Amino acid sequence: MRMLVLLTTVVVAAVGVSACQGGHGHEKEWTAEEVKELERKWGFEYAFSGIGSFAHLKHVKCLTTPSERFDIGIIGVPFDTATTYRPGARFGPRAIRQASSRQTSFRGFNPRANINPYQNWATILDCGDIPVSPMDNAVALAQMTAAFVELGQRGTVSPLLQKPKLITLGGDHSLALPALRALRQIHGRPLRVLHFDAHLDTWHPDKYPSAWPSDQAHFNHGSMFWLAGNEGLLANASAAPSVHAGLRTRLSGDDWDDFDDDTRQNWLRLSADDIDDMGTSGIIKTILDSFAPAAEGDPQDPVYLSVDIDVLDPAFAPGTGTPEPGGWTTRELIRILRGIESLNIVGADVVEVAPAYQGAGEETALAGAQVVYEILSSMVKKGMHEMGKTGGGGGGGHDEL
């Protein structure tokens, strides 16, 4: 008798569900009000729930969904086979996304920037990852370049931008080369770079000596800006240098040749120690002065912002491939990033997060996620400035680039 009652209950429940759905071939047509009610009841996500997209943003495989437009895209590049010391940054995009879980649109207001980047004019998507080969760096470089070009030429949602902007989650730092190749093609002019890092990354490939040389070995995470300069991707006017900030690297040989070569490549250097004498305000002023237009009223140069997490001291970011003692604190870096929000950032990356070397508290990935949040805030706030507004909303006009 109990089995009969149970079977009867199951049958009745199934009939009820079928009736509610209209039966096979007669799917219920939902009204906008009903869908809105479903979203109200079930759409909320706590920080610890949901699929692991960056900051709980809508996730779209943008490379295979060309109809999905966006203004700012978060794109992962799980690539680390151009490293010279500790690998593991291929897991950086996943770690940064996981560490961004407490960033949500309903609690995303940035007091330092006075905006919520997730509730503003920009449509921001998590565009997934570029499927990069871990077995052939030549193929990987071609893949990354093609993907950056493809995404950078997509249409935007807001009329404010003519081209979408990408923030890349690395991956090792070599990904900056394909990103710059794409931006040079998309914008039709060389770019300037603001580079936060413990290391120069402008080393001539011969500074990595080997009895077994190869052209492909030139592509590594310490020479990509040297390659970019030689390919004409970077501005070479002496009045328009690119800038390193946070340097504390050891140099080759027994002299200053690395710095001399860096200067010849049109870079300005700010060391990590400079913050002791100049403070964060002095670092900010030096950067802004370096990127200021030649004359008042001139358009701003396009700037690529590249943040190697090892710019931070290993006490704050041990989870990285080439840690260097004596770096900046996370708070100092955030303060500097907030101070340079007026720059014309057309693309950015946060690289070299290697979670295998961080502690259980995810301090390195958390720092990386916070840096992405600050860059997003700056991009959105810059757009608001272009609209001539101090608060949210949409508007007309176009970014110069």
Side-chain angles (χ1 to χ4, degrees), residues 123-399:
T123 297
I124 308 172
L125 297 181
D126 187 326
C127 286
D129 288 350
I130 300 172
V132 186
S133 170
M135 295 167 284
D136 189 320
N137 281 5
V139 171
L141 179 56
Q143 290 174 318
M144 289 186 279
T145 303
F148 284 131
V149 170
E150 173 69 29
L151 294 176
Q153 292 178 332
R154 293 283 173 84
T156 59
V157 177
S158 171
L160 182 63
L161 296 179
Q162 294 176 334
K163 306 171 184 68
K165 299 184 178 186
L166 298 175
I167 301 176
T168 306
L169 312 179
D172 76 48
H173 212 157
S174 64
L175 65 83
L177 177 63
L180 288 166
R181 284 179 173 177
L183 287 168
R184 174 66 174 85
Q185 178 178 332
I186 291 165
H187 294 286
R189 60 182 292 188
L191 289 93
R192 300 172 68 184
V193 175
L194 175 55
H195 174 221
F196 289 93
D197 201 321
H199 310 93
L200 291 168
D201 294 350
T202 57
W203 278 292
H204 191 291
D206 287 346
K207 292 295 180 75
Y208 295 94
S210 173
W212 305 87
S214 73
D215 291 338
Q216 190 51 52
H218 289 183
F219 174 58
N220 63 73
H221 74 162
S223 296
M224 71 284 176
F225 289 135
W226 182 89
L227 292 170
N230 277 268
E231 291 182 16
L233 308 180
L234 306 182
N236 60 8
S238 58
S242 290
V243 176
H244 302 291
L247 295 175
R248 56 194 186 278
T249 183
R250 286 169 295 279
L251 304 180
S252 307
D254 59 0
D255 58 18
W256 300 92
D257 184 62
D258 286 350
F259 278 0
D260 294 338
D261 189 37
D262 186 70
T263 299
R264 287 191 293 268
Q265 295 178 57
N266 202 34
W267 287 82
L268 174 72
R269 292 176 299 280
L270 287 166
S271 73
D273 293 347
D274 285 335
I275 205 168
D276 297 329
D277 301 320
M278 305 167 64
T280 55
S281 60
I283 299 291
I284 292 167
K285 183 179 185 304
T286 301
I287 292 172
L288 293 180
D289 288 347
S290 300
F291 285 100
E296 186 175 352
D298 285 354
Q300 289 181 297
D301 290 333
V303 176
Y304 183 75
L305 175 58
S306 189
V307 182
D308 187 325
I309 206 66
D310 73 21
V311 72
L312 300 178
D313 190 89
F316 303 95
T320 190
T322 49
E324 300 285 358
W328 290 343
T329 69
T330 310
R331 178 180 56 79
E332 287 168 338
L333 178 60
I334 292 170
R335 179 67 177 270
I336 293 167
L337 290 173
R338 288 271 41 85
I340 60 168
E341 64 187 15
S342 61
L343 296 178
N344 182 23
I345 305 297
V346 297
D349 64 48
V350 179
V351 297
E352 299 287 356
V353 172
Y357 313 113
Q358 69 178 0
E362 302 177 286
E363 65 290 310
T364 310
L366 283 168
Q370 183 70 26
V371 169
V372 175
Y373 172 64
E374 299 298 341
I375 295 171
L376 274 172
S377 296
S378 294
M379 286 181 171
V380 174
K381 191 171 182 179
K382 178 69 171 177
M384 292 163 54
H385 175 75
E386 295 295 327
M387 287 188 284
K389 297 185 176 182
T390 56
H398 282 84
D399 193 300

